[in-house]
Amino acid sequence: MRVHPARSGLSPGRRKVVAASVAVIALVMASCTGDDSGNGDGDGNGSSGASGDLADIAEARGLTDADLIAAAKTYVPSGQHDEYIMFASGGQSGQVHVVGVPSMRLLRTIGVFTPEPWQGWGFGAADTEAVLEEGYAPGTEELRWADTHHPALSETEGDYDGQFLFINDKANSRVATIDLRDFETKQIVRNPVAINDHGGTFVTPNTDWVIEGGQYAMPLGWEWASLDDYETDYRGLITFWKFDRAAGRLDPAQSFAMELPPYWQDLCDAGKLDSEGWVFCNSINTEMATGMTHGGEQFEAATGANETDYLHAINLVKAAEVAAGGGTETINGFEVIPLQTSIDEGLLYFVPEPKSPHGSDVTPDGKYVVVSGKLDTHANVYSFEKLMAAIEAGPTEVDPFGVPVIAMEDAMEAQVELGLGPLHTQFDDKGYAYTSLFLDSAVARWSLGGDSTPEGEEPWTLITKTPVQYNIGHLTAAEGDTVSPDGKYLVALNKWSIDRFFPTGPLLPQNFQLVDIAEGGTTMPVLYDSPLGVAEPHYAQTIKADKLAPWTVYPLGTDPSKMGGWDTPTADMVGDNATTDAAQTGVTRDGNTVTVDMTVIRSHFAPDLIEVKQGDHVIWHLTSLETTQDATHGMAVPGYNINLSIEAGETVTVEFDATQSGVFNFYCTEFCSALHLEMMGHFLVEPA
Ligand code: K7E
Ligand code: CUA
């Protein structure tokens, strides 16, 4: 593990460097703001006015030349927005984090699989409860956490389109759909065949399919089988969820899975351009180890025994045809292509890949697949063209399950020696690839070959490495897994932070490190450390901010669960029980059911008194009449575990039984106006 060199005090020599960089910053600031008046004297002597102050500050704080430049590159002045938005997995928090780049400011944490009180996600609001309940699994009374790994932005022609975001739950094999108009989760689907997943989510270039790759082998359909029957009864799986963009939802009825050998399928990526229509997943444990208590070695040793595992190449276009043509078996109501069918129809091919790989990443031109073995030191580059030619020529070998195996040398284009523990790869606009090195704690920059070699570089060559702290997992470059990466910024998502921050007890924050990749060659400095005190952010994707078009208020009366696809007319999104007219407000009783039609606007609830009898069933509709950006109200009912967020224009319903008698002062939880504290009402439950 590399330790950052200790910073030395400011020497007279370095003082000159600081003065020079002050001039650099003055220039940077003038060019950023377009303000060229009175921004220091610009002569580089740093001896007068604001420039002198900056030099003094730098000296007093012990900031180096590089520090000042890094600060100027990452500082986003008050009131200005970030150029990029990063969507990061929230790990076992079950959420998604939205972070501005380059400032690295956390903008929002989206409640996905896990309740989130600020957004009223999972505390009574009917639309949020319905989404969370969709994802409940058998044997789990309430499944309200997840192990999120890989967020995937929706794409059009291989480029992020800014409409939707998907993310998987490794722990319970689920996939969520988030709408980027309101940054809210619209859907959670649970895989009824697999019990866990990992290699998802990834989308095909037009988001026709959302890929949910597998992980640990299991009997399909949540069945029981003895580990003695591992090779016959345990299976791997990959699932393709059909995305219905017009509906804005995954469609389980049009989705299907493929049975795979009981290897541990890991990360996948969709082919693009030349390789569009194919999907590539790496695997580990082709040894089919079942653990030391089962007469073997520990998994960590047993799964590394083979020199190679199998890259899975899947012909998705053909598989979808086979599935649509009835070539499936139904398991728990879900269509699954049997392994033998995949073999017979030519849907699945294996290529050996060095030792227990982790990443599988398709280059921007779609011509190559980069696979890195964590126990191997290379980025292994497979050529799609060679792979197709080898398939055409007819593989001569099969794996123990009869899956055709292409010889590694027939598909391999290059092996680039990078260092220890290579995992994941991203790309930039110049023809460089960036691979995380877990054991080296570094980001490696290397050159692509083919038509993509960067100017002045040799193809398939390691160019430089930048140390990061510590033990990097994934990395995300700006649009770095699309057909047109932007370069500029890369964020290292580090697993350990050790001494980088104030120790918050034995449990330490994660560390996002911003890396400057704007210049090519050997220049690749770390600009900023950004701690994140919320679970392990496995993967993130970074999109140009101007590709996003979020709503700033909801069209009046919108029920977020009725938003559908992006072409849905706003009239169709109005909640069935939205109270958009003050004249409709009131409390009505029908037998034991009490319905409340309430409007919410600064600074009152109307009506503000609700009287019911203990045991009544309460259906409470709240509609915000606000049309002003950020005029959010909350609504908390103590004693009833109810907490809502009612954003401008939104309608929310909460339904419950008034089991507890008493006087409950419900109130607004957002400081919405000068008279916010007065924004309250009484919920009186008369004892039965
Ligand atoms: Cu942590 Cu992609 Cu789940 Cu690698 S994953 S590090
Ligand atoms: Cu509404 Cu405070």
Side-chain angles (χ1 to χ4, degrees):
M1 221 166 265
R2 300 276 304 252
V3 176
H4 200 79
R7 298 238 151 101
S8 55
L10 207 59
S11 66
R14 284 183 52 217
R15 172 121 205 207
K16 232 184 266 161
V17 174
V18 168
S21 61
V22 167
V24 168
I25 287 179
L27 277 172
V28 166
M29 286 175 169
S31 66
C32 286
T33 59
D35 173 12
D36 57 2
S37 62
N39 240 337
D41 54 16
D43 64 5
N45 66 20
S47 61
S48 64
S51 303
D53 292 338
L54 182 54
D56 290 347
I57 293 164
E59 179 164 11
R61 298 195 63 211
L63 300 178
T64 66
D65 176 37
D67 292 335
L68 289 178
I69 293 189
K73 283 183 172 173
T74 54
Y75 179 65
V76 176
S78 176
Q80 293 189 21
H81 294 184
D82 281 292
E83 189 181 356
Y84 287 90
I85 300 296
M86 172 167 71
F87 291 92
S89 154
Q92 58 277 52
S93 78
Q95 299 164 326
V96 166
H97 305 301
V98 186
V99 175
V101 177
S103 74
M104 304 305 287
R105 296 178 295 199
L106 176 65
L107 303 176
R108 180 165 173 180
T109 293
I110 303 173
V112 185
F113 297 99
T114 302
E116 203 293 318
W118 164 52
Q119 295 156 79
W121 185 253
F123 295 95
D127 60 322
T128 75
E129 297 291 340
V131 171
L132 286 164
E133 284 170 21
E134 263 185 288
Y136 286 2
T140 54
E141 185 113 322
E142 279 202 339
L143 184 53
R144 294 197 156 198
W145 73 281
D147 184 12
T148 54
H149 277 243
H150 308 99
L153 286 157
S154 59
E155 295 180 8
T156 298
E157 295 182 1
D159 240 329
Y160 300 151
D161 58 38
Q163 293 194 345
F164 293 93
L165 181 79
F166 307 93
I167 191 159
N168 71 315
D169 166 21
K170 168 168 169 164
N172 285 283
S173 205
R174 297 181 293 169
V175 174
T177 307
I178 298 162
D179 190 324
L180 296 178
R181 280 172 296 185
D182 63 351
F183 286 51
E184 283 200 4
T185 307
K186 301 300 176 188
Q187 177 185 33
I188 295 175
V189 290
R190 185 179 64 77
N191 195 317
V193 184
I195 200 149
N196 59 79
D197 68 28
H198 183 234
T201 51
F202 296 90
V203 301
T204 52
N206 285 301
T207 323
D208 297 315
W209 300 98
V210 176
I211 301 163
E212 184 192 17
Q215 184 84 102
Y216 308 121
M218 72 251 131
L220 300 186
W222 296 51
E223 294 294 330
W224 179 89
S226 165
L227 277 168
D228 292 332
D229 303 320
Y230 190 83
E231 291 183 25
T232 53
D233 290 6
Y234 283 60
R235 284 294 175 265
L237 196 79
I238 182 168
T239 304
F240 298 103
W241 294 94
K242 181 76 186 163
F243 182 55
D244 180 345
R245 199 186 279 260
R249 301 288 185 275
L250 302 170
D251 181 358
Q254 303 295 319
S255 304
F256 70 96
M258 288 171 72
E259 179 194 2
L260 299 171
Y263 311 142
W264 293 354
Q265 286 79 25
D266 194 39
L267 281 195
C268 302
D269 201 2
K272 52 183 97 139
L273 298 173
D274 285 26
S275 54
E276 183 166 353
W278 285 73
V279 170
F280 309 95
C281 308
N282 63 268
S283 67
I284 47 180
N285 197 18
T286 50
E287 296 82 356
M288 295 186 280
T290 54
M292 62 188 298
T293 47
H294 200 68
E297 283 179 289
Q298 289 181 348
F299 283 112
E300 60 181 2
T303 58
N306 290 351
E307 278 311 307
T308 54
D309 292 284
Y310 289 128
L311 174 66
H312 293 39
I314 294 166
N315 186 336
L316 173 55
V317 170
K318 220 168 159 186
E321 285 168 14
V322 168
T328 51
E329 283 174 9
T330 308
I331 301 178
N332 285 342
F334 202 84
E335 300 308 311
V336 181
I337 300 178
L339 179 57
Q340 192 57 49
T341 304
S342 294
I343 295 167
D344 296 342
E345 299 285 339
L347 310 181
L348 175 68
Y349 297 89
F350 287 161
V351 191
E353 51 186 5
K355 275 202 139 140
S356 303
H358 188 37
S360 162
D361 297 285
V362 177
T363 54
D365 59 11
K367 291 184 195 303
Y368 306 99
V369 184
V370 181
V371 172
S372 297
K374 41 195 195 280
L375 303 177
D376 177 67
T377 56
H378 297 94
N380 302 290
V381 183
Y382 294 88
S383 155
F384 180 71
E385 199 183 333
K386 288 183 181 176
L387 176 63
M388 290 302 108
I391 289 172
E392 190 76 15
T396 51
E397 293 198 14
V398 293
D399 87 326
F401 296 85
V403 179
V405 179
I406 306 292
M408 181 154 63
E409 58 273 19
D410 289 348
M412 186 74 78
E413 180 75 22
Q415 291 190 291
V416 188
E417 173 96 36
L418 298 180
L420 298 179
L423 299 181
H424 304 290
T425 299
Q426 293 265 297
F427 306 94
D428 74 3
D429 55 332
K430 297 186 186 66
Y432 292 112
Y434 300 84
T435 299
S436 51
L437 303 177
F438 181 84
L439 296 174
D440 271 355
S441 288
V443 175
R445 167 188 273 160
W446 51 282
S447 57
L448 293 175
D451 306 327
S452 305
T453 311
E455 256 184 72
E457 307 282 15
E458 293 292 313
W460 311 125
T461 306
L462 173 66
I463 306 296
T464 192
K465 288 196 235 181
T466 291
V468 290
Q469 284 83 15
Y470 302 93
N471 296 90
I472 177 174
H474 277 272
L475 31 63
T476 170
E479 312 221 341
D481 62 2
T482 70
V483 293
S484 63
D486 282 13
K488 287 194 180 181
Y489 301 110
L490 179 146
V491 177
L493 294 95
N494 304 331
K495 305 291 189 191
W496 292 48
S497 67
I498 312 184
D499 54 357
R500 305 299 288 177
F501 308 110
F502 178 83
T504 51
L507 184 62
L508 303 180
Q510 320 288 317
N511 189 6
F512 282 158
Q513 277 186 307
L514 181 68
V515 179
D516 182 356
I517 58 167
E519 247 183 273
T522 55
T523 307
M524 192 167 61
V526 170
L527 296 178
Y528 196 69
D529 279 25
S530 182
L532 191 75
V534 220
E536 182 184 344
H538 292 267
Y539 183 45
Q541 288 186 329
T542 307
I543 182 174
K544 193 92 194 296
D546 64 16
K547 283 190 174 175
L548 296 166
W551 288 352
T552 51
V553 298
Y554 284 108
L556 189 62
T558 297
D559 171 351
S561 70
K562 296 184 75 179
M563 283 166 57
W566 278 44
D567 294 330
T568 310
T570 48
D572 294 355
M573 302 175 191
V574 175
D576 299 336
N577 298 291
T579 311
T580 53
D581 180 346
Q584 299 165 345
T585 60
V587 181
T588 49
R589 171 177 289 278
D590 179 7
N592 280 338
T593 299
V594 176
T595 302
V596 181
D597 293 295
M598 179 177 279
T599 55
V600 184
I601 191 165
R602 280 162 291 171
S603 301
H604 57 270
F605 296 103
D608 62 11
L609 170 62
I610 299 157
E611 291 183 284
V612 304
K613 296 208 163 49
Q614 191 173 18
D616 281 346
H617 185 65
V618 179
I619 304 172
W620 189 335
H621 308 295
L622 302 95
T623 304
S624 168
L625 301 181
E626 299 283 0
T627 55
T628 306
Q629 182 174 10
D630 204 14
T632 302
H633 301 282
M635 206 283 283
V637 187
Y640 276 90
N641 194 25
I642 290 168
N643 178 41
L644 313 176
S645 170
I646 310 142
E647 289 133 42
E650 183 182 10
T651 189
V652 178
T653 293
V654 58
E655 196 172 337
F656 60 98
D657 292 324
T659 49
Q660 165 127 333
S661 65
V663 172
F664 304 94
N665 315 103
F666 67 87
Y667 71 98
C668 174
T669 51
E670 286 266 341
F671 211 113
C672 53
S673 73
L675 297 172
H676 151 78
L677 293 179
E678 289 80 354
M679 192 166 176
M680 65 83 67
H682 292 95
F683 177 53
L684 267 60
V685 183
E686 191 184 330

